Amino acid sequence: MRLHLRLRLWVALALGYVLLMAFVHLFHIPLRSRTFHSHYDMSDEGVLEKAHSAVKEMVEKYAKAALKHPGSGAETAEQITLLTKTFKKADSNANEVLELSELSSWIAKKTKEHLTLALRDNIFTFTAIDLDPRNVKLGNVGCSSGVVSWEEFHAYFLKQHGYDDEFIKNHEHNHKGLPREIKEAIMRDKAAWSEAARSDPDQLTLDEFLAFRHPESSHATILNIVEETIAKLDIDGDGQLTSEEFADPEINDVPDGITPERYKEERLKDFKIADEDKNGLLDRKELLSLVGKPYKVVDESCHIEHTSNNGTKAC
Ligand SMILES: [Ca+2]
Ligand SMILES: [Ca+2]
Ligand SMILES: [Ca+2]
Ligand SMILES: [Ca+2]
């Protein structure tokens, strides 16, 4: 009997985990909008629906496999502990069942966390690559964040794979002599590069670099996050968020390791930055900018650049 219950729990946990992984994986497929330039066009909904039904199919497939071979796959003590913890976190009403709404809100939370990390990492990597020449400019109104050329990225890529400056400078352009997997990785990067380079095929801006390294940060994902945020936080239903709605720790998912007070403080700071027209409300356009653009990290890049030159902060 205990074994039977344990099996049921395992299958439920596996379902939740697989669904998250499948969701994240699915957004790696080219979801780039045909209407990329329109921030308000919701025609990606069709794509999202397809993604959801693909997730459903995949979950059913994995569930059947798990029932057929309960001893196979992830049944190690460590993985069961991880799944149990994950399940508990997602089961917000603690009834030991994962409702669809819990799963959906947990996936949205994890996707948001993933994108935040990706945005943070993006500026640091971008700044580390934009060296030859370094194109960051500091101006009167702020700073532009530079461009990364294919040559800059390629030099960085080779360095990451253990090649020295001498080799990078003199290596043959057809990459003769490099291991096959490195050549294949370069070809994959080339293909992703041309997908991401919208303004100039030879170089990427900061935003394009994000799309290059994290295609899951695509427009469709960002639109989805904005819609879910409004659906969850817009208590009075006017389609906009007040600072109270936006920052209330009672209705937001407060990340682990941060107190509700601190969370509210941080969110109020974000609100001030995001409220571009200073009318005390966040509309969809402002939320799209907040989710889709690395405000804070661009600010940090100005700081890094300027302090590295003369120790003062300009932005
Ligand atoms: Ca539940
Ligand atoms: Ca550059
Ligand atoms: Ca509202
Ligand atoms: Ca506003």
PDB file of all heavy atoms in Angstrom, residues 215-241:
ATOM      1  N   PRO A 215      17.048  32.319 -26.774  1.00  0.00           N
ATOM      2  CA  PRO A 215      15.864  32.471 -27.641  1.00  0.00           C
ATOM      3  C   PRO A 215      14.553  32.318 -26.872  1.00  0.00           C
ATOM      4  O   PRO A 215      13.515  32.776 -27.317  1.00  0.00           O
ATOM      5  CB  PRO A 215      16.045  31.373 -28.689  1.00  0.00           C
ATOM      6  CG  PRO A 215      17.115  30.488 -28.195  1.00  0.00           C
ATOM      7  CD  PRO A 215      17.944  31.268 -27.222  1.00  0.00           C
ATOM      8  N   GLU A 216      14.618  31.696 -25.679  1.00  0.00           N
ATOM      9  CA  GLU A 216      13.393  31.538 -24.877  1.00  0.00           C
ATOM     10  C   GLU A 216      12.908  32.869 -24.315  1.00  0.00           C
ATOM     11  O   GLU A 216      11.825  32.964 -23.770  1.00  0.00           O
ATOM     12  CB  GLU A 216      13.615  30.527 -23.743  1.00  0.00           C
ATOM     13  CG  GLU A 216      14.441  31.027 -22.564  1.00  0.00           C
ATOM     14  CD  GLU A 216      15.931  31.031 -22.828  1.00  0.00           C
ATOM     15  OE1 GLU A 216      16.335  30.840 -23.995  1.00  0.00           O
ATOM     16  OE2 GLU A 216      16.692  31.238 -21.876  1.00  0.00           O
ATOM     17  N   SER A 217      13.777  33.931 -24.440  1.00  0.00           N
ATOM     18  CA  SER A 217      13.345  35.254 -23.979  1.00  0.00           C
ATOM     19  C   SER A 217      12.545  35.949 -25.074  1.00  0.00           C
ATOM     20  O   SER A 217      12.441  37.161 -25.098  1.00  0.00           O
ATOM     21  CB  SER A 217      14.565  36.103 -23.615  1.00  0.00           C
ATOM     22  OG  SER A 217      15.282  36.422 -24.795  1.00  0.00           O
ATOM     23  N   SER A 218      12.013  35.154 -26.029  1.00  0.00           N
ATOM     24  CA  SER A 218      11.352  35.731 -27.196  1.00  0.00           C
ATOM     25  C   SER A 218      10.114  36.554 -26.815  1.00  0.00           C
ATOM     26  O   SER A 218       9.608  36.487 -25.699  1.00  0.00           O
ATOM     27  CB  SER A 218      10.935  34.627 -28.151  1.00  0.00           C
ATOM     28  OG  SER A 218       9.841  33.947 -27.584  1.00  0.00           O
ATOM     29  N   HIS A 219       9.643  37.266 -27.806  1.00  0.00           N
ATOM     30  CA  HIS A 219       8.498  38.152 -27.631  1.00  0.00           C
ATOM     31  C   HIS A 219       7.276  37.409 -27.096  1.00  0.00           C
ATOM     32  O   HIS A 219       6.580  37.899 -26.210  1.00  0.00           O
ATOM     33  CB  HIS A 219       8.196  38.757 -28.992  1.00  0.00           C
ATOM     34  CG  HIS A 219       7.282  39.920 -28.950  1.00  0.00           C
ATOM     35  ND1 HIS A 219       7.518  41.006 -28.143  1.00  0.00           N
ATOM     36  CD2 HIS A 219       6.142  40.168 -29.616  1.00  0.00           C
ATOM     37  CE1 HIS A 219       6.538  41.875 -28.331  1.00  0.00           C
ATOM     38  NE2 HIS A 219       5.698  41.388 -29.212  1.00  0.00           N
ATOM     39  N   ALA A 220       7.050  36.169 -27.621  1.00  0.00           N
ATOM     40  CA  ALA A 220       5.866  35.407 -27.195  1.00  0.00           C
ATOM     41  C   ALA A 220       5.919  35.115 -25.692  1.00  0.00           C
ATOM     42  O   ALA A 220       4.920  35.240 -24.988  1.00  0.00           O
ATOM     43  CB  ALA A 220       5.797  34.098 -27.972  1.00  0.00           C
ATOM     44  N   THR A 221       7.097  34.753 -25.190  1.00  0.00           N
ATOM     45  CA  THR A 221       7.241  34.447 -23.765  1.00  0.00           C
ATOM     46  C   THR A 221       6.978  35.686 -22.924  1.00  0.00           C
ATOM     47  O   THR A 221       6.293  35.639 -21.902  1.00  0.00           O
ATOM     48  CB  THR A 221       8.679  33.946 -23.486  1.00  0.00           C
ATOM     49  OG1 THR A 221       8.992  32.942 -24.431  1.00  0.00           O
ATOM     50  CG2 THR A 221       8.808  33.401 -22.086  1.00  0.00           C
ATOM     51  N   ILE A 222       7.563  36.801 -23.372  1.00  0.00           N
ATOM     52  CA  ILE A 222       7.420  38.046 -22.616  1.00  0.00           C
ATOM     53  C   ILE A 222       5.950  38.498 -22.588  1.00  0.00           C
ATOM     54  O   ILE A 222       5.435  38.876 -21.542  1.00  0.00           O
ATOM     55  CB  ILE A 222       8.350  39.126 -23.206  1.00  0.00           C
ATOM     56  CG1 ILE A 222       9.802  38.734 -22.902  1.00  0.00           C
ATOM     57  CG2 ILE A 222       8.049  40.510 -22.634  1.00  0.00           C
ATOM     58  CD1 ILE A 222      10.831  39.525 -23.642  1.00  0.00           C
ATOM     59  N   LEU A 223       5.291  38.398 -23.742  1.00  0.00           N
ATOM     60  CA  LEU A 223       3.860  38.758 -23.790  1.00  0.00           C
ATOM     61  C   LEU A 223       3.052  37.893 -22.820  1.00  0.00           C
ATOM     62  O   LEU A 223       2.184  38.386 -22.102  1.00  0.00           O
ATOM     63  CB  LEU A 223       3.312  38.512 -25.197  1.00  0.00           C
ATOM     64  CG  LEU A 223       3.486  39.622 -26.218  1.00  0.00           C
ATOM     65  CD1 LEU A 223       2.988  39.141 -27.571  1.00  0.00           C
ATOM     66  CD2 LEU A 223       2.717  40.870 -25.797  1.00  0.00           C
ATOM     67  N   ASN A 224       3.382  36.620 -22.791  1.00  0.00           N
ATOM     68  CA  ASN A 224       2.675  35.700 -21.915  1.00  0.00           C
ATOM     69  C   ASN A 224       2.867  36.079 -20.450  1.00  0.00           C
ATOM     70  O   ASN A 224       1.920  36.076 -19.661  1.00  0.00           O
ATOM     71  CB  ASN A 224       3.193  34.280 -22.185  1.00  0.00           C
ATOM     72  CG  ASN A 224       2.199  33.240 -21.740  1.00  0.00           C
ATOM     73  OD1 ASN A 224       1.003  33.475 -21.766  1.00  0.00           O
ATOM     74  ND2 ASN A 224       2.689  32.104 -21.307  1.00  0.00           N
ATOM     75  N   ILE A 225       4.091  36.424 -20.086  1.00  0.00           N
ATOM     76  CA  ILE A 225       4.380  36.799 -18.697  1.00  0.00           C
ATOM     77  C   ILE A 225       3.603  38.070 -18.330  1.00  0.00           C
ATOM     78  O   ILE A 225       3.035  38.172 -17.249  1.00  0.00           O
ATOM     79  CB  ILE A 225       5.897  37.007 -18.502  1.00  0.00           C
ATOM     80  CG1 ILE A 225       6.604  35.642 -18.562  1.00  0.00           C
ATOM     81  CG2 ILE A 225       6.197  37.694 -17.175  1.00  0.00           C
ATOM     82  CD1 ILE A 225       8.098  35.719 -18.491  1.00  0.00           C
ATOM     83  N   VAL A 226       3.568  39.039 -19.251  1.00  0.00           N
ATOM     84  CA  VAL A 226       2.845  40.288 -18.975  1.00  0.00           C
ATOM     85  C   VAL A 226       1.361  39.993 -18.760  1.00  0.00           C
ATOM     86  O   VAL A 226       0.756  40.482 -17.793  1.00  0.00           O
ATOM     87  CB  VAL A 226       3.053  41.304 -20.126  1.00  0.00           C
ATOM     88  CG1 VAL A 226       2.067  42.448 -20.025  1.00  0.00           C
ATOM     89  CG2 VAL A 226       4.486  41.818 -20.117  1.00  0.00           C
ATOM     90  N   GLU A 227       0.778  39.179 -19.634  1.00  0.00           N
ATOM     91  CA  GLU A 227      -0.644  38.868 -19.499  1.00  0.00           C
ATOM     92  C   GLU A 227      -0.929  38.147 -18.178  1.00  0.00           C
ATOM     93  O   GLU A 227      -1.894  38.434 -17.500  1.00  0.00           O
ATOM     94  CB  GLU A 227      -1.130  38.015 -20.691  1.00  0.00           C
ATOM     95  CG  GLU A 227      -1.222  38.780 -21.993  1.00  0.00           C
ATOM     96  CD  GLU A 227      -1.979  40.100 -21.877  1.00  0.00           C
ATOM     97  OE1 GLU A 227      -3.071  40.143 -21.285  1.00  0.00           O
ATOM     98  OE2 GLU A 227      -1.449  41.125 -22.378  1.00  0.00           O
ATOM     99  N   GLU A 228      -0.054  37.206 -17.812  1.00  0.00           N
ATOM    100  CA  GLU A 228      -0.254  36.473 -16.548  1.00  0.00           C
ATOM    101  C   GLU A 228      -0.106  37.397 -15.349  1.00  0.00           C
ATOM    102  O   GLU A 228      -0.812  37.274 -14.361  1.00  0.00           O
ATOM    103  CB  GLU A 228       0.755  35.329 -16.442  1.00  0.00           C
ATOM    104  CG  GLU A 228       0.525  34.288 -17.520  1.00  0.00           C
ATOM    105  CD  GLU A 228       0.797  32.879 -17.039  1.00  0.00           C
ATOM    106  OE1 GLU A 228       0.923  32.678 -15.840  1.00  0.00           O
ATOM    107  OE2 GLU A 228       0.852  31.980 -17.907  1.00  0.00           O
ATOM    108  N   THR A 229       0.848  38.343 -15.456  1.00  0.00           N
ATOM    109  CA  THR A 229       1.056  39.291 -14.361  1.00  0.00           C
ATOM    110  C   THR A 229      -0.194  40.145 -14.166  1.00  0.00           C
ATOM    111  O   THR A 229      -0.664  40.330 -13.032  1.00  0.00           O
ATOM    112  CB  THR A 229       2.274  40.204 -14.666  1.00  0.00           C
ATOM    113  OG1 THR A 229       3.395  39.366 -14.922  1.00  0.00           O
ATOM    114  CG2 THR A 229       2.580  41.136 -13.520  1.00  0.00           C
ATOM    115  N   ILE A 230      -0.749  40.648 -15.264  1.00  0.00           N
ATOM    116  CA  ILE A 230      -1.955  41.486 -15.152  1.00  0.00           C
ATOM    117  C   ILE A 230      -3.116  40.654 -14.612  1.00  0.00           C
ATOM    118  O   ILE A 230      -3.826  41.075 -13.690  1.00  0.00           O
ATOM    119  CB  ILE A 230      -2.305  42.145 -16.506  1.00  0.00           C
ATOM    120  CG1 ILE A 230      -1.212  43.158 -16.858  1.00  0.00           C
ATOM    121  CG2 ILE A 230      -3.674  42.815 -16.454  1.00  0.00           C
ATOM    122  CD1 ILE A 230      -1.410  43.880 -18.147  1.00  0.00           C
ATOM    123  N   ALA A 231      -3.299  39.448 -15.171  1.00  0.00           N
ATOM    124  CA  ALA A 231      -4.414  38.599 -14.722  1.00  0.00           C
ATOM    125  C   ALA A 231      -4.322  38.341 -13.213  1.00  0.00           C
ATOM    126  O   ALA A 231      -5.332  38.299 -12.512  1.00  0.00           O
ATOM    127  CB  ALA A 231      -4.393  37.281 -15.480  1.00  0.00           C
ATOM    128  N   LYS A 232      -3.116  38.221 -12.708  1.00  0.00           N
ATOM    129  CA  LYS A 232      -2.952  37.867 -11.302  1.00  0.00           C
ATOM    130  C   LYS A 232      -3.038  39.077 -10.365  1.00  0.00           C
ATOM    131  O   LYS A 232      -3.610  39.006  -9.281  1.00  0.00           O
ATOM    132  CB  LYS A 232      -1.584  37.197 -11.154  1.00  0.00           C
ATOM    133  CG  LYS A 232      -1.320  36.669  -9.784  1.00  0.00           C
ATOM    134  CD  LYS A 232      -0.131  35.782  -9.804  1.00  0.00           C
ATOM    135  CE  LYS A 232       0.086  35.214  -8.423  1.00  0.00           C
ATOM    136  NZ  LYS A 232       1.327  34.512  -8.320  1.00  0.00           N
ATOM    137  N   LEU A 233      -2.446  40.215 -10.804  1.00  0.00           N
ATOM    138  CA  LEU A 233      -2.281  41.333  -9.863  1.00  0.00           C
ATOM    139  C   LEU A 233      -3.306  42.457 -10.004  1.00  0.00           C
ATOM    140  O   LEU A 233      -3.424  43.294  -9.112  1.00  0.00           O
ATOM    141  CB  LEU A 233      -0.868  41.932 -10.005  1.00  0.00           C
ATOM    142  CG  LEU A 233       0.330  40.968  -9.858  1.00  0.00           C
ATOM    143  CD1 LEU A 233       1.633  41.720  -9.989  1.00  0.00           C
ATOM    144  CD2 LEU A 233       0.275  40.264  -8.512  1.00  0.00           C
ATOM    145  N   ASP A 234      -4.004  42.484 -11.148  1.00  0.00           N
ATOM    146  CA  ASP A 234      -4.914  43.605 -11.386  1.00  0.00           C
ATOM    147  C   ASP A 234      -6.225  43.395 -10.629  1.00  0.00           C
ATOM    148  O   ASP A 234      -7.240  42.974 -11.181  1.00  0.00           O
ATOM    149  CB  ASP A 234      -5.161  43.713 -12.901  1.00  0.00           C
ATOM    150  CG  ASP A 234      -6.058  44.888 -13.214  1.00  0.00           C
ATOM    151  OD1 ASP A 234      -6.178  45.807 -12.383  1.00  0.00           O
ATOM    152  OD2 ASP A 234      -6.643  44.886 -14.323  1.00  0.00           O
ATOM    153  N   ILE A 235      -6.196  43.742  -9.343  1.00  0.00           N
ATOM    154  CA  ILE A 235      -7.347  43.468  -8.462  1.00  0.00           C
ATOM    155  C   ILE A 235      -8.615  44.216  -8.903  1.00  0.00           C
ATOM    156  O   ILE A 235      -9.698  43.652  -8.928  1.00  0.00           O
ATOM    157  CB  ILE A 235      -7.001  43.857  -6.996  1.00  0.00           C
ATOM    158  CG1 ILE A 235      -5.780  43.067  -6.515  1.00  0.00           C
ATOM    159  CG2 ILE A 235      -8.192  43.632  -6.072  1.00  0.00           C
ATOM    160  CD1 ILE A 235      -5.970  41.576  -6.388  1.00  0.00           C
ATOM    161  N   ASP A 236      -8.468  45.510  -9.278  1.00  0.00           N
ATOM    162  CA  ASP A 236      -9.683  46.256  -9.654  1.00  0.00           C
ATOM    163  C   ASP A 236     -10.061  46.067 -11.131  1.00  0.00           C
ATOM    164  O   ASP A 236     -11.033  46.654 -11.602  1.00  0.00           O
ATOM    165  CB  ASP A 236      -9.534  47.751  -9.316  1.00  0.00           C
ATOM    166  CG  ASP A 236      -8.398  48.407 -10.080  1.00  0.00           C
ATOM    167  OD1 ASP A 236      -7.812  47.750 -10.967  1.00  0.00           O
ATOM    168  OD2 ASP A 236      -8.085  49.581  -9.785  1.00  0.00           O
ATOM    169  N   GLY A 237      -9.297  45.277 -11.859  1.00  0.00           N
ATOM    170  CA  GLY A 237      -9.669  44.909 -13.232  1.00  0.00           C
ATOM    171  C   GLY A 237      -9.652  46.031 -14.248  1.00  0.00           C
ATOM    172  O   GLY A 237     -10.347  45.942 -15.269  1.00  0.00           O
ATOM    173  N   ASP A 238      -8.870  47.101 -14.021  1.00  0.00           N
ATOM    174  CA  ASP A 238      -8.848  48.186 -15.007  1.00  0.00           C
ATOM    175  C   ASP A 238      -7.753  47.990 -16.068  1.00  0.00           C
ATOM    176  O   ASP A 238      -7.512  48.860 -16.890  1.00  0.00           O
ATOM    177  CB  ASP A 238      -8.682  49.562 -14.310  1.00  0.00           C
ATOM    178  CG  ASP A 238      -7.312  49.715 -13.660  1.00  0.00           C
ATOM    179  OD1 ASP A 238      -6.578  48.693 -13.553  1.00  0.00           O
ATOM    180  OD2 ASP A 238      -6.965  50.842 -13.261  1.00  0.00           O
ATOM    181  N   GLY A 239      -7.074  46.849 -16.027  1.00  0.00           N
ATOM    182  CA  GLY A 239      -6.054  46.556 -17.045  1.00  0.00           C
ATOM    183  C   GLY A 239      -4.733  47.238 -16.773  1.00  0.00           C
ATOM    184  O   GLY A 239      -3.808  47.142 -17.585  1.00  0.00           O
ATOM    185  N   GLN A 240      -4.618  47.955 -15.650  1.00  0.00           N
ATOM    186  CA  GLN A 240      -3.365  48.602 -15.287  1.00  0.00           C
ATOM    187  C   GLN A 240      -3.045  48.254 -13.829  1.00  0.00           C
ATOM    188  O   GLN A 240      -3.925  47.857 -13.077  1.00  0.00           O
ATOM    189  CB  GLN A 240      -3.480  50.117 -15.433  1.00  0.00           C
ATOM    190  CG  GLN A 240      -3.893  50.553 -16.815  1.00  0.00           C
ATOM    191  CD  GLN A 240      -3.727  52.048 -16.995  1.00  0.00           C
ATOM    192  OE1 GLN A 240      -2.614  52.541 -17.107  1.00  0.00           O
ATOM    193  NE2 GLN A 240      -4.819  52.765 -17.008  1.00  0.00           N
ATOM    194  N   LEU A 241      -1.777  48.430 -13.449  1.00  0.00           N
ATOM    195  CA  LEU A 241      -1.399  48.092 -12.074  1.00  0.00           C
ATOM    196  C   LEU A 241      -1.004  49.335 -11.287  1.00  0.00           C
ATOM    197  O   LEU A 241      -0.163  50.127 -11.750  1.00  0.00           O
ATOM    198  CB  LEU A 241      -0.229  47.106 -12.082  1.00  0.00           C
ATOM    199  CG  LEU A 241      -0.463  45.765 -12.787  1.00  0.00           C
ATOM    200  CD1 LEU A 241       0.778  44.883 -12.686  1.00  0.00           C
ATOM    201  CD2 LEU A 241      -1.674  45.029 -12.231  1.00  0.00           C
TER     202      LEU A 241
END
